[in-house]
Amino acid sequence: MRSTRLVTATAAALVCLGALSACGPDNSGEDGGKTAAPAPSTPAATGAATGAPTTGATKPAGTDGAAKGIPAKAWMDTKSIPMDEAYHYAPLAANAKPQTGPVQFKGMELCHAPIAKDDEYGFAGTASAKASVGFGGDRWTAQQTLLFVGDPTHSSGTKQTTNMVDQRLTDALKGCAKTAPGATVKVNSADDAPYFAAVLTIPQADGTTVTLHEYAVTDGGTVSELSVWATTKGGAQPKDAWKAPEDKYVGTGMTAPMCEALPGCG
């Protein structure tokens, strides 16, 4: 009987040596995980790896494009930009460059009006980008800057921040002579207009003068600036005479596409 038991035990031991994983203690599969085929990825994991949208997440309609950057269709049609009739500007979307950190609007840059430290959070927003087209020098260059702060339908604070950014921009333009000595400002838009429009001349440190036509609109959680400028020397005029649609049409040309592409417009 003992011989029979010994033979049985020996056979069992040999089986265990041939298939260790079947006889070994349960250690959360560490040994088996080294040789087993990888488990198929779930749809959520695949989306995270490839950038494809995952299922199950609930986001406000229309916010995905803003989270990834400014959508191409948010940029104004160049036909609405002053001087396009003569210059035939390239499409803005094709020249757009995403921005990081607090965005610097061109009007504030030319007026040497820095962003206050306490306001930087608003100027950073959720997404921002700039697109410049034109020839430079004493010919007209156009630049649109788009800042999406967020969807105000989900937060009254977002709308307040958007309005703050717009106010800081227009205040800097109106007060340009305070930060850029010798600058002149002529505001062409009424206080209750749905857009801001002004013409500025701004002396530069190198002796040149910038002539700037500035437009700004805000709606929902987005602020849009259009700057069209030329730089001349010794009091000369820009090479090409100014030609533009009425200011209200420029403003509409800025607002319509951004409200179609970004959420929150009223």
Side-chain angles (χ1 to χ4, degrees):
M1 180 65 70
R2 292 184 61 186
S3 298
T4 302
R5 290 177 179 175
L6 181 60
V7 170
T8 302
T10 302
L14 291 173
V15 171
C16 285
L17 288 172
L20 182 60
S21 61
C23 299
D26 181 6
N27 60 358
S28 301
E30 289 178 1
D31 289 334
K34 294 178 183 178
T35 56
S41 59
T42 63
T46 303
T50 64
T54 59
T55 58
T58 56
K59 292 184 179 181
T63 58
D64 287 345
K68 297 175 183 177
I70 300 297
K73 64 181 181 180
W75 299 96
M76 66 188 299
D77 189 328
T78 55
K79 292 183 177 62
S80 300
I81 299 178
M83 296 303 298
D84 179 70
E85 184 177 339
Y87 284 8
H88 305 293
Y89 290 119
L92 290 171
N95 292 276
K97 295 181 179 179
Q99 304 294 297
T100 57
V103 68
Q104 181 69 64
F105 290 103
K106 188 66 181 182
M108 295 179 72
E109 176 188 331
L110 290 173
C111 288
H112 310 294
I115 302 168
K117 193 72 175 176
D118 291 344
D119 296 338
E120 287 183 351
Y121 75 96
F123 283 78
T126 298
S128 62
K130 296 181 180 182
S132 297
V133 292
F135 300 97
D138 62 355
R139 304 188 74 188
W140 298 99
T141 297
Q143 175 178 289
Q144 187 179 12
T145 303
L146 283 168
L147 170 65
F148 178 70
V149 177
D151 186 348
T153 61
H154 301 280
S155 170
S156 60
T158 299
K159 184 59 180 174
Q160 293 171 2
T161 300
T162 306
N163 290 341
M164 178 273 290
V165 172
D166 179 67
Q167 190 67 52
R168 297 291 189 273
L169 171 59
T170 55
D171 284 349
L173 294 165
K174 292 175 182 177
C176 189
K178 298 177 183 178
T179 51
T184 65
V185 182
K186 180 185 178 185
V187 177
N188 293 328
S189 53
D191 290 340
D192 59 350
Y195 61 90
F196 174 85
V199 182
L200 299 85
T201 59
I202 311 167
Q204 301 298 297
D206 61 0
T208 61
T209 297
V210 172
T211 301
L212 170 67
H213 291 258
E214 179 82 357
Y215 306 85
V217 299
T218 183
D219 202 335
T222 306
V223 179
S224 173
E225 175 203 47
L226 175 66
S227 302
V228 188
W229 75 93
T231 305
T232 56
K233 299 179 180 180
Q237 295 297 311
K239 183 174 182 178
D240 301 311
W242 179 255
K243 188 173 184 180
E246 289 184 43
D247 292 339
K248 63 180 180 180
Y249 295 121
V250 178
T252 301
M254 297 166 67
T255 304
M258 81 179 192
C259 281
E260 181 182 351
L262 296 165
C265 284

